[in-house]
Amino acid sequence: MEIIQFEDLANCARLSNGDAEVVVATEFGPRVLAFNFIGGANVLGWHPHAAIQSPLGEYRIYGGHRLWIAPEVPSRTYAPDSAPIEWFFDEAENSIRLVQPVEPVSGTRKEMTVKLAGAGGDVTILHKITNVGDRETELAAWALTIMRGGGTCEIPNEPFAPYGGETLLPVRNLTVWAYTDLSDPRWTFDRELIRLRVDESRREPQKIGVLNKRGWARYRLADSVFTKHFDFRETASYPDMNSNTELYVAGSFVEVETLAPLVTLKPGESTEHVERWRLEPTER
């Protein structure tokens, strides 16, 4: 591990295994800022001037990977994370734990533990939200990854089966927002995949959510393929009309998002959500 400057941000921590590297912030967050092969381009997106105004102040997007609280409520979800964080490096595990100060309005504390595998492009991220308030609260951990523009998002469909007595009931939901336009040419709906293509000339946002039982989502670029894997809980209830995977795009801004089940946390209790990332070169 070494401390570096990333873009114009000082005191960032870099983990490397000789094949790939991960960069995280220490002066705000918890955030993952970069993930790439050594000498290669960052697969994560960077939007240093993007910001959201909320009742709690300005939330700076920056880019990379972040942890939010779902459902999306500005007075809780957009709590600024601009204060310095605590961080703890584990050399034996090649991992770093990033702990945010307590957020006073929601009474929660967010943290990530980022672990880079000993070789190759595999990363495991443990997201954790703890209720440090004095009353119960319902929420879900929401992991949002901003990707570099120019690629295509992919969500797997459920396995196709022909119409018959065994296929009378639905197998999955599709959640849309008021601004979702399924006639937009950035969408492609195939038998095996739902695709959302990034087109910088189209600024209007698009978003969908699904209950993804397959447990993975992908972002495909010309030089690399990023895949995140996560667990699906059959009996759980998820936010956003039971969505555990969401895609969002607006111009060059694109996110691949996963959500943990909704839980009610008593004071002192925590919820955890794990994503397993894999970065691979695009096959030529």
Side-chain angles (χ1 to χ4, degrees):
M1 192 275 290
E2 62 177 330
I3 299 299
I4 66 168
Q5 178 165 322
F6 176 81
E7 300 290 342
D8 61 347
L9 303 174
N11 298 318
C12 298
R14 173 184 176 268
L15 304 181
S16 174
N17 61 11
D19 295 320
E21 62 183 4
V22 179
V23 178
V24 303
T26 66
E27 295 195 344
F28 63 97
R31 300 286 191 98
V32 180
L33 304 177
F35 179 35
N36 53 270
F37 293 117
I38 302 299
N42 184 9
V43 73
L44 305 184
W46 189 241
H47 300 269
H49 304 298
I52 299 173
Q53 300 298 326
S54 82
L56 304 179
E58 182 182 69
Y59 185 93
R60 293 192 63 186
I61 296 295
Y62 290 106
H65 180 77
R66 68 190 187 276
L67 173 60
W68 267 1
I69 290 174
E72 190 167 1
V73 179
S75 60
R76 183 169 73 161
T77 302
Y78 304 161
D81 62 356
S82 55
I85 63 174
E86 293 186 283
W87 59 276
F88 309 90
F89 175 62
D90 187 330
E91 184 175 4
E93 293 289 321
N94 200 18
S95 68
I96 189 166
R97 180 170 167 245
L98 312 169
V99 183
Q100 184 189 60
V102 173
E103 203 291 298
V105 174
S106 66
T108 60
R109 183 177 61 240
K110 303 185 187 78
E111 59 183 279
M112 288 186 201
T113 300
V114 182
K115 179 179 178 181
L116 180 61
D122 289 341
V123 172
T124 301
I125 302 183
L126 170 65
H127 309 80
K128 184 177 181 179
I129 301 176
T130 302
N131 179 9
V132 296
D134 57 4
R135 63 185 65 183
E136 288 186 350
T137 184
E138 184 182 53
L139 55 79
W142 183 8
L144 305 95
T145 309
I146 300 173
M147 310 306 304
R148 190 174 88 224
T152 300
C153 307
E154 298 177 346
I155 296 178
N157 281 321
E158 295 304 303
F160 177 82
Y163 174 82
E166 302 299 319
T167 58
L168 299 179
L169 298 179
V171 295
R172 185 169 78 177
N173 67 303
L174 174 66
T175 301
V176 299
W177 276 250
Y179 54 85
T180 304
D181 178 3
L182 297 180
S183 70
D184 189 297
R186 287 172 289 183
W187 293 111
T188 304
F189 296 89
D190 295 333
R191 177 178 290 190
E192 296 182 353
L193 295 170
I194 297 173
R195 294 185 175 92
L196 178 58
R197 178 176 55 85
V198 179
D199 183 344
E200 293 190 13
S201 69
R202 291 183 171 269
R203 306 290 299 175
E204 60 276 15
Q206 293 296 318
K207 185 172 184 177
I208 62 165
V210 300
L211 184 64
N212 182 355
K213 302 176 185 178
R214 308 294 295 280
W216 64 267
R218 180 178 294 140
Y219 187 70
R220 189 178 297 276
L221 284 156
D223 60 351
S224 56
V225 178
F226 170 88
T227 307
K228 58 168 66 179
H229 295 266
F230 48 93
D231 293 334
F232 165 68
R233 287 176 50 187
E234 184 73 43
T235 59
S237 295
Y238 291 88
D240 298 343
M241 296 184 177
N242 217 25
S243 299
N244 68 347
T245 307
E246 296 177 355
L247 303 178
Y248 176 88
V249 69
S252 63
F253 187 94
V254 55
E255 290 180 331
V256 180
E257 311 167 1
T258 68
L259 300 98
L262 283 164
V263 293
T264 298
L265 299 179
K266 296 178 180 179
E269 292 184 335
S270 302
T271 183
E272 296 183 348
H273 177 55
V274 176
E275 287 189 341
R276 298 172 295 277
W277 293 3
R278 171 161 291 182
L279 185 62
E280 300 170 289
T282 300
E283 295 182 2
R284 299 294 182 180

